[in-house]
Amino acid sequence: MADPECYDCGPQGIAVDGSNLVYVIGTVNGPVSVYSGAGDLVAAWGSFGTGDGQLYAPSGISIDASNDVYIVDEANYRVEKFTAGGTLLLAWGSRGYGAGQFQDPVGVAVGPSGNVYVLDEYLRRVQVFTAQGEYISAFGSSGSGEGQYTWPAGIAVGPSGTVYVTDDFLRRVQAFTPEGVFIRTWGSLGSGDGQFIGHLAITTDSRGDVYVSDSEKHVIQRFDATGVFLTRWGSGGTGEGQFTYPSGLAVDSQQDVYLVDRGTCRVLKYAPNLTPAARVTWGSLKVLYR
């Protein structure tokens, strides 16, 4: 579980809204920091705690078509929904094993229908809710078979509604229908194209391509929606374009790719051709590449 004391240098996740503003959770500026695409701090909101609208250990963030912001909190065992300006709209969830309850919620993703998907690492399941927090269904169980998870790590939903879940132990990505029916899987342990080692963050773009960062291999890999490998880039380190412990990925409407690196406390932004160029200082988050 994330430790709030690490948030002075430990961004946990990233998302981009419809205006291409970049939201980062868990930074020195506060639980939620909002930046322009050029890395300028636009706003910071939220406070650490357990009260209404507070965040104790934010672990995942997603933004819907109306620019409402959904954040899952590992320590408060809940999902909170905010306006883009940080006003609390609603919250749901509690600690437990039942429908609508959580043990270790580590990721959240909003689908094109507006439904909200929450990944629980400990319970090895994805729960589906309406945008009003009403429970719809759940899918997944513990194991290594189709539709099962051993160490689920990241979740994303593509533009067609396909749900993608990464598994750090099984080193794979699984794809599901919006209702949770298993479609396919890809990936295995290794350092080759289409293979993974661990700590796998995931996102999708408007074309339906899937991006997976691997903190052990220090690479980002891009696949099409069916899991066909397309390209890869990155290397380990603190230099230009390098990263050490990516904890989140996002893609904006221009297909620019953002990676938040918890290890170096910075955001890296790559243009569609993936070539780092101009450098911009980004507050406590160091570098923006474009």
Side-chain angles (χ1 to χ4, degrees), residues 55-102:
L55 299 158
Y56 191 75
S59 51
I61 181 171
S62 187
I63 301 174
D64 68 16
S66 300
N67 286 341
D68 290 332
V69 181
Y70 298 78
I71 299 175
V72 290
D73 192 315
E74 287 183 277
N76 284 327
Y77 310 101
R78 68 188 180 194
V79 180
E80 289 185 293
K81 179 180 178 180
F82 301 89
T83 66
T87 299
L88 179 68
L89 296 174
L90 63 97
W92 71 89
S94 60
R95 190 175 189 180
Y97 298 86
Q101 294 185 306
F102 309 108

Side-chain angles (χ1 to χ4, degrees), residues 115-198:
N115 286 343
V116 182
Y117 297 78
V118 182
L119 176 65
D120 195 307
E121 179 183 89
Y122 183 83
L123 296 177
R124 275 80 170 178
R125 71 183 183 189
V126 175
Q127 294 189 80
V128 189
F129 302 88
T130 68
Q132 291 72 44
E134 299 164 345
Y135 175 83
I136 298 175
S137 63
F139 58 93
S141 61
S142 180
S144 58
E146 292 183 352
Q148 295 184 310
Y149 322 114
T150 299
W151 189 357
I155 187 168
V157 181
S160 67
T162 302
V163 182
Y164 300 93
V165 179
T166 62
D167 193 308
D168 279 352
F169 185 82
L170 297 174
R171 280 86 172 187
R172 69 184 185 186
V173 178
Q174 293 190 87
F176 302 86
T177 68
E179 296 75 31
V181 178
F182 174 82
I183 301 173
R184 66 178 62 89
T185 186
W186 72 86
S188 60
L189 174 62
S191 58
D193 294 345
Q195 294 185 306
F196 309 110
I197 297 181

Side-chain angles (χ1 to χ4, degrees), residues 218 233-243 266 268 270 276 287 289:
H218 307 295
W233 74 95
S235 60
T238 59
E240 291 192 356
Q242 295 183 310
F243 43 86
R266 63 185 186 177
L268 295 91
Y270 300 90
V287 182
Y289 290 105

